[in-house]
Amino acid sequence: MQSPCMKEVSEVCLSSCCPAPLFKLSAHHDAMSKSRSTSAACRRDFAATTSASIFPNTQFTNHESLPSLQESFSDFTKVYPRYQETAQVDQIRAQEYYHLSQSNHTCLDYIGIGLFSSSQLHKQESSSQLNSDFPFFSISYKTGNLKTQLLHGGQESELESVMRNRIMDFLNISANDYSMVFTANRTSAFKLVAESYPYKTSRKLLTVYDYESEAVEGLINSSEKRGAKVMSAEFSWPRLRIQSAKLRKMVVSKRKKKKKRGLFVFPVHSRITGSRYPYVWMTMAQENGWHVLVDACALGPKDMDSFGLSLFQPDFLISSFYKIYGENPSGFACLFVKKSAISYLESSTCTGIVNLVPAKKLLQIAGDSSGTDTELEQISRLGLQLDALGTASSFSGLISNHTTQTRRLEREGYESAEEGANRTGLETSEIWESETHANLIKDKNSRSSRNGDSLEVVCRGLDQVDSLGLMMITNRARYLINWLVSSLRKLKHPNTEGFPLVKIYGPKIKFDRGPALAFNVFDWKGEKVEPVLVQKLADRNNISLSYGFLHHIWFSDKYAEEKGRILERREGGVKGMDANKLKAKSDLGISVVTAALGFLASFEDTYRLWAFVAQFLDADFVEKERWRYTALNQKTIEV
């Protein structure tokens, strides 16, 4: 039966999923205490109701015994009746992202914020007006001084000005308090900070990541070269919560005089496990003389509404944006620096800052034989094939389902032209193509407007998120991710021990967990199915997943025996006595499959993932898939 507290959980508990300082303190202490007590009770009730109501007293040992999509959805809405209030998301998905339904494609590998909708792209293609006033754009790398760029700006185009204002408005970041630069991707943004931060006087770098990240590795490597002493938080097994005692010891200074100690990099929550971290760590770091960098790339599209930027005022903030959900993962990132912190930075020549360049300008440069060497070099850096600019469709054309999957597989092994580092499916949102491109479409109903000859830029993806609001997006994701977690845990191998098919890492059923999931599939012998294999099989079932590597895991004496069985060495990890201790430690961890629910995720998406994973209950599933694709003359999967 539906609990009364469960019905009110969204309103009562909204404040509890965010830190207390974000809300106005009541003058009446008793009222506040009562409110907190009610909130905590509702959070517990949510978890208890979810656990007790989703397939109660049921275990699935055969994938053919799973209930149908319709039956499962009916039961789902009985447990979460307020899910029906999020129908506006389904309408937007059907009208603006119809390619998802047409291709029957489930996208669970997008992290970040989408700028445009699929319908914008297709409408512009049908008009074929490449030379219209409304521009396409690409990114152009430039070498410069980050500090100078932040203090004095650059020659900003109208397109860049409009995009910057729209993004800062969307993230609730004031131009009076923060300066911003566009960067090629999340990795570039981190490296820009590392190459400008004054490690000579503030030597320490402290990061809080439970997973391997190319962007963070780039930050660490660049910082170490400049003399930084690198430290990392650890995460307690099995829940993978921050090991508070150790982190507090690293953050808190014993000296009475609080001089600037270094850079504290805080991701707010894990983009792999969905763990949310207490904001008190930011306050503690600031009180102990640290500069704080907030990695907001894993936040939900409206989470900045409840972040409390004016209260915490981090020195740096990084956010990332992709083009179109389920269709084009390329994009850019934004680095925000608090104006009062700019003076701390050192002047150094950096790469990674980019310009947004309208396609019309690119065409003019390409067609002008008298163009300067600098302009032609800029075209070369963009990686644009000039013969591909003949039509609108060739520059930002419709991406078929086949092309979408091909690009997604290509970006797993995509090698950054700037860094020469291999990319994997882990960093989905930061894998931008160097020849990135998109179009912006005029919309009568958009918040953007044209005054005289000024440029009109419509980011329909951002407009849609604004129209839905924080409550609807958060509630929808909460219902879906907790149903998925609960359902996956119901899958058991058909042996006497009832060995679970799936192991979930980090938070399980929880009110305030993030919409990301890290898990592994195990066969009936208890042996792990390699995450890369799971990802490839999912892809051939039209489901896009990623894989990652959890590290910095701390085991108490209670779990000492499990440590040797659970941890594995990452491929290519450091070896030998001379290896850096921190790096050697971070090379020990757990490879996992990852899924991320974007704001457009539907119940059908989560059900399809559940049904796919359930197929591994068949002991011969992997072998059957191998022979099936061999028979179709497809490349076999290496097991």
Side-chain angles (χ1 to χ4, degrees), residues 284-305:
M284 186 184 299
Q286 290 171 329
E287 291 174 349
N288 285 272
W290 294 83
H291 288 112
V292 173
L293 186 159
V294 169
D295 179 0
C297 295
L299 288 177
K302 287 299 288 181
D303 283 357
M304 284 297 290
D305 285 9

Side-chain angles (χ1 to χ4, degrees), residues 214 414-422:
E214 181 183 352
Y414 177 77
E415 187 170 84
S416 168
E418 180 184 358
E419 302 167 18
N422 287 331

